[in-house]
Amino acid sequence: MNQSRSKTEIKGGAHSPRQHDSAHKHVTGSADYIDDMPEPAGTLHGYLGLTDRAHARIVSLDLDAVRQAPGVVVVLTGADVPGVNDISPTGRNDEPVLATREVLFHGQPVFAVIAQTRDAARRAARLAVIEYEDLPHITDVREATAAAYPFVTDPLKLERGDIEGGLAAAPLRLKGEMRIGGQDHFYLEGHIALAIPGEDDEVTVWSSTQHPSEVQHMVAHALGTVSNAVTVHIRRMGGGFGGKETQSNQFAAIAAIAAKKLNRAVKIRPDRDDDMIITGKRHDFVVDYDVGYDESGKIHAVDAAFAARCGFSSDLSGPVTDRALFHADNCYFYQDVRLVSKPMMTNTVSNTAFRGFGGPQGMLGGERIIEEVAYALDRDPLEIRRANFYGGSGRDVTPYHQTVEDNVIGQIVDELEASSDYQARRAEIIAFNQDSPVIRRGIALTPVKFGISFTATWYNQAGALVHVYQDGSIHLNHGGTEMGQGLNTKVAQVLADEFQVDLDTIRITATTTGKVPNTSATAASSGTDLNGMAAANAAEQIKARLVAFASEKYSVPPEQVVFEPNHVRVGNELMAFGDFIKQAYLARIQLSAAGFYKTPGIHWNRETGKGRPFYYFAYGAAVSEVSVDTLTGEYQVDRVDVLHDAGRSLNPALDIGQIEGAFIQGMGWLTTEELWWDDKGRLRTHAPSTYKIPLASDRPRIFNVRLAEWSENREPTIRRSKAVGEPPFMLPISVLEALGMATASIADYRISPQLDAPATPERVLMAVERLKAMAADAPPPAAD
């Protein structure tokens, strides 16, 4: 399609730093979320009744007091589910809407109260009398393994080369383990659903979800109807981070069941404590590794197992633990490698998607291996990283047999090392630590290589619906969901670029299954890649019709019909875009199109552990500097420098914002956010008072973030951009390893600090004391 740019530019097209389309509404509080919507007359409110055991049989369930409580209209149990009492996203039938005979984690919902007010429902839910037969419970991964607990889904093995031979032949060898903690999503807007009954079997659901089509299917499944009876809407979420990819199903299903049973609108919204208790988290892992390497620091062989606390059901644990293995190599080539997942069942809430989807845990395990080799050889970890980077032919194949064709990590690291003055700062920090009795400092530079695409290949598709109205205004609807990341703004920028009109010409409407069907979750960092291309495809269809119309009407060749900023040039005549569209309307030209896109060239065979699961890789690197008080374990992040590869950025302002937010969230995961279950299997960190997300005061004192402006995606993605939602989340691994360096200074860097995550001040202090004791017992270093 012919398109040119005149000296006049459109306002807000692709590659321009445009603000988020709802930014002013977020700031002023005028952005409408589901709980802000006017409620239909007679709306009822739901609340969930939770169990008080980690593992037990339900002997009796007495709900008489609940039913008789003021304002209660009905109480629902699993027996009241008219369809199938299951909301498992994988179809394994292992996740009931409401538990019936057996309790599998503390806080599992067993009934729902529907009342005149939310307060009445919440108070009534506390009145149930439940008799249990207690059963043994396990919350820890190691204990689950020892007790031969089952896997919640089939494990994966990635293997290449001769692992036994590689380990045996390596000059040096080390073994170890690392514990990696989970994380709560802590979205600002909690889970919520509003169901409005319709005619026959129809129901409309407003759900705070990243996956409207899955909510549609799960509600239909629970109601015992078909998908076309259920319409799901979502305008925006107050954060998601993966926590609303599958976890919305339960709330939407219960609201819909109640709405259809009572023929009244029903809203359900748990409070923050219950939301944290009954919804899944980031998986925590225990990584066991056996590594062969040589005196130069080059890794010859890696044999590693990644055991994950998955919870009571499968949820998304299969693909999450798969992706952990896909990223255990990070930027490094392993000659001989075997990686195995162990998705362990535990008596905890079923863990789920979280930004990075297992990739951060796998990458952190791989970076621990690099650190261990560096400390064993008394070398700067950056030297070991460089020695193991993917290179040319013979050193460019991943453990899952995909060739790394777009490797720019060397250029990224070189540029960041120079711009951050890493070497001089590291030397200065080592000198400082020699003379500082209490405060110790550390610095680390870590890289990121993150694969972009759903590993479930069929999810790599998207649709969009575009209408051009006769006055030239444009309506855009697509299958992605807006959770604050700026997806709608970016897709609208793509459409503005296609039609060469100002961004304010385009109106984005709520995502709805009634306009774009069979949508994929807004996840895997693919929202803009998929939906942007679908919107562009719709625009191309409409433009093709417009060009054919103008060519015939004005008797000019098609190449002389050109879309220019807010105008269309036909031959030598320049018309305002709106005037041109009016002519097309009067000529009965179709001004609407459904666009579609599917990612090309990707494939994956899980049985063989081989394929090309990722369309491309996004890269980045960060340098972090910290100061640690060795008397208390407290620390602060002094400076962070980031260089990130977003390809040819669609919106540099939004992309930098995503990088900054991802870094702080990832830093929280690795430093302060600790999930803790007591010996009764109760989650005790279930509120802002007990669970510490980063504060504004925790941000780096100096925070420099840049995009790699020279980068351009080698694959034909939307305007050659790269995804930026998840890859930056792993950049703060540099913070954890800088804390490790500061701690290791206690023993003159001769002993690996082996910090588990999160590296809370308590863990840092314990590591300091451990290294002090080990240094006192260790022989002095040999003279040069």
Side-chain angles (χ1 to χ4, degrees):
M1 189 66 59
N2 237 341
Q3 181 172 298
S4 68
R5 288 184 181 274
S6 68
K7 292 182 180 179
T8 304
E9 294 288 327
I10 62 172
K11 297 176 182 178
H15 311 301
S16 63
R18 190 76 171 188
Q19 74 175 28
H20 191 291
D21 74 298
S22 296
H24 61 291
K25 298 177 184 177
H26 294 158
V27 172
T28 61
S30 61
D32 284 339
Y33 297 88
I34 292 172
D35 213 27
D36 299 313
M37 293 169 49
E39 296 173 0
T43 296
L44 300 174
H45 298 265
Y47 210 83
L48 299 180
L50 311 184
T51 52
D52 190 34
R53 296 293 190 277
H55 190 200
R57 290 188 186 91
I58 298 176
V59 176
S60 66
L61 177 62
D62 183 352
L63 300 174
D64 287 347
V66 182
R67 293 188 178 97
Q68 294 166 12
V72 172
V73 177
V74 72
V75 179
L76 304 175
T77 68
D80 296 302
V81 177
V84 181
N85 186 22
D86 177 64
I87 45 170
S88 168
T90 55
R92 296 175 70 94
N93 199 32
D94 60 356
E95 190 170 348
V97 179
L98 294 168
T100 53
R101 293 177 295 274
E102 186 177 10
V103 178
L104 290 169
F105 74 94
H106 187 278
Q108 185 170 13
V110 70
F111 65 91
V113 185
I114 311 300
Q116 299 288 350
T117 67
R118 182 175 178 273
D119 182 65
R122 188 171 183 265
R123 290 177 183 275
R126 304 292 190 267
L127 302 177
V129 178
I130 307 176
E131 184 182 349
Y132 302 97
E133 177 190 341
D134 289 328
L135 298 171
H137 69 270
I138 288 177
T139 60
D140 180 73
V141 173
R142 285 284 192 226
E143 292 176 6
T145 304
Y149 257 44
F151 295 139
V152 296
T153 187
D154 295 334
L156 174 67
K157 179 170 73 172
L158 302 180
E159 191 166 12
R160 196 194 64 244
D162 176 10
I163 185 63
E164 280 79 14
L167 287 170
L172 299 170
R173 192 166 173 177
L174 60 83
K175 296 182 180 181
E177 79 160 40
M178 182 181 193
R179 283 185 174 263
I180 301 170
Q183 185 179 23
D184 188 86
H185 302 85
F186 218 92
Y187 22 65
L188 287 176
E189 177 202 31
H191 278 283
I192 185 171
L194 170 64
I196 303 172
E199 295 181 339
D200 302 320
D201 57 349
E202 295 176 358
V203 63
T204 298
V205 180
W206 286 86
S207 172
S208 185
T209 179
Q210 296 172 234
H211 201 343
S213 285
E214 182 170 283
V215 169
Q216 176 191 33
H217 300 324
M218 289 295 102
V219 167
H221 189 58
L223 286 174
T225 186
V226 289
S227 292
N228 68 9
V230 181
T231 303
V232 177
H233 301 290
I234 176 64
R235 173 60 181 92
R236 61 170 62 84
M237 287 164 278
F241 311 116
K244 296 176 180 176
E245 184 171 344
T246 64
Q247 302 290 289
S248 307
N249 296 343
Q250 186 169 44
F251 305 98
I254 291 171
I257 290 167
K260 293 303 291 181
K261 182 180 182 69
L262 301 170
N263 199 32
R264 291 172 68 177
V266 175
K267 181 192 286 188
I268 184 168
R269 173 176 62 84
D271 64 20
R272 177 66 66 176
D273 293 72
D274 285 358
D275 192 307
M276 292 181 73
I277 288 169
I278 63 182
T279 60
K281 322 295 178 195
R282 179 184 295 281
H283 293 67
D284 50 342
F285 277 70
V286 177
V287 184
D288 294 291
Y289 50 88
D290 188 353
V291 182
Y293 62 103
D294 62 29
E295 293 83 355
S296 72
K298 186 168 290 186
I299 294 171
H300 291 211
V302 172
D303 188 7
F306 290 75
R309 170 161 49 197
C310 297
F312 80 98
S313 69
S314 56
D315 194 80
L316 295 175
S317 291
V320 166
T321 52
D322 285 3
R323 190 173 276 262
L325 301 193
F326 286 130
H327 290 85
D329 61 326
N330 195 12
C331 298
Y332 314 116
F333 174 74
Y334 302 146
Q335 183 65 51
D336 300 298
V337 58
R338 178 169 59 208
L339 306 171
V340 179
S341 69
K342 295 181 178 181
M344 301 303 304
M345 177 184 176
T346 52
N347 294 118
T348 53
V349 65
S350 191
N351 284 328
T352 191
F354 200 127
R355 196 174 195 169
F357 205 77
Q361 296 96 310
M363 196 175 293
L364 189 56
E367 290 299 329
R368 164 57 66 87
I369 289 171
I370 292 289
E371 290 279 304
E372 290 288 273
V373 171
Y375 281 106
L377 296 174
D378 192 22
R379 303 268 292 280
D380 178 352
L382 181 56
E383 294 180 43
I384 308 304
R385 291 189 166 92
R386 276 208 171 89
N388 289 285
F389 279 164
Y390 279 104
S393 180
R395 290 184 56 83
D396 59 356
V397 180
T398 66
Y400 43 94
H401 298 262
Q402 176 170 343
T403 302
V404 180
E405 301 170 315
D406 59 353
N407 188 10
V408 297
I409 194 59
Q411 186 175 354
I412 292 273
V413 169
D414 288 348
E415 184 174 328
L416 181 62
E417 180 185 15
S419 65
S420 67
D421 205 15
Y422 169 82
Q423 293 295 347
R425 289 166 60 198
R426 188 172 194 273
E428 189 272 329
I429 286 170
I430 291 173
F432 172 88
N433 288 342
Q434 288 177 339
D435 298 323
S436 180
V438 175
I439 303 299
R440 297 297 177 94
R441 292 161 57 194
I443 191 170
L445 191 161
T446 60
V448 166
K449 173 180 69 68
F450 193 80
I452 304 299
S453 291
F454 287 97
T455 52
T457 307
W458 58 90
Y459 279 138
N460 295 287
Q461 59 176 302
L465 183 64
V466 174
H467 304 315
V468 181
Y469 295 105
Q470 57 181 292
D471 63 353
S473 63
I474 298 171
H475 169 111
L476 166 64
N477 193 275
H478 59 82
T481 57
E482 176 62 56
M483 63 194 92
Q485 81 277 41
L487 171 64
N488 283 345
T489 303
K490 282 188 172 183
V491 178
Q493 286 181 278
V494 168
L495 205 59
D497 215 43
E498 285 288 336
F499 285 111
Q500 282 294 287
V501 295
D502 293 341
L503 186 60
D504 60 12
T505 304
I506 297 164
R507 184 174 300 275
I508 312 158
T509 55
T511 305
T512 173
T513 57
K515 287 188 177 180
V516 178
N518 305 316
T519 60
S520 298
T522 304
S525 301
S526 63
T528 301
D529 283 8
L530 296 176
N531 294 288
M533 288 294 264
N537 176 255
E540 287 164 3
Q541 294 177 49
I542 297 170
K543 287 162 63 181
R545 298 179 202 132
L546 291 171
V547 168
F549 153 71
S551 176
E552 179 180 356
K553 178 178 175 65
Y554 291 95
S555 301
V556 299
E559 58 269 21
Q560 290 188 21
V561 181
V562 181
F563 289 81
E564 296 187 358
N566 296 304
H567 292 80
V568 178
R569 184 178 296 279
V570 182
N572 294 322
E573 185 174 352
L574 188 66
M575 290 174 271
F577 182 79
D579 294 341
F580 176 72
I581 293 299
K582 182 71 173 182
Q583 290 187 36
Y585 164 74
L586 293 173
R588 297 182 295 178
I589 303 302
Q590 184 183 0
L591 298 173
S592 177
F596 182 75
Y597 175 75
K598 62 179 181 179
T599 309
I602 54 174
H603 55 91
W604 168 242
N605 187 324
R606 195 174 187 273
E607 296 301 317
T608 62
K610 297 180 180 180
R612 188 190 181 215
F614 303 122
Y615 191 34
Y616 63 88
F617 296 100
Y619 297 86
V623 175
S624 293
E625 181 180 332
V626 302
S627 296
V628 175
D629 184 332
T630 59
L631 297 181
T632 65
E634 294 175 289
Y635 49 80
Q636 68 180 30
V637 181
D638 299 314
R639 176 177 167 180
V640 168
D641 294 81
V642 168
L643 179 62
H644 197 76
D645 166 27
R648 193 173 174 217
S649 173
L650 283 175
N651 187 319
L654 288 181
D655 284 350
I656 288 175
Q658 281 290 288
I659 294 165
E660 291 172 343
F663 191 97
I664 298 301
Q665 189 177 46
M667 191 177 76
W669 167 53
L670 294 173
T671 59
T672 66
E673 297 183 44
E674 186 172 28
L675 296 168
W676 188 76
W677 282 262
D678 66 15
D679 57 4
K680 293 184 179 181
R682 299 177 296 186
L683 178 66
R684 307 307 285 176
T685 49
H686 58 75
S689 58
T690 54
Y691 184 81
K692 187 183 185 306
I693 64 171
L695 306 175
S697 57
D698 293 319
R699 70 180 297 278
R701 271 53 179 175
I702 301 172
F703 199 8
N704 302 316
V705 176
R706 291 190 299 116
L707 299 178
E709 295 181 358
W710 42 263
S711 177
E712 183 172 288
N713 201 335
R714 68 189 299 276
E715 299 294 346
T717 54
I718 190 67
R719 302 296 191 270
R720 299 287 177 170
S721 63
K722 285 190 176 185
V724 77
E726 292 172 301
F729 184 89
M730 286 139 281
L731 294 171
I733 292 175
S734 56
V735 172
L736 181 68
E737 300 197 347
L739 290 171
M741 177 187 172
T743 306
S745 69
I746 297 296
D748 198 27
Y749 315 101
R750 292 180 289 120
I751 303 171
S752 171
Q754 295 185 336
L755 280 176
D756 287 340
T760 60
E762 294 90 342
R763 281 204 176 95
V764 171
L765 182 59
M766 287 189 287
V768 166
E769 295 301 318
R770 174 171 51 84
L771 289 182
K772 283 180 181 178
M774 293 175 72
D777 294 338
D784 291 338

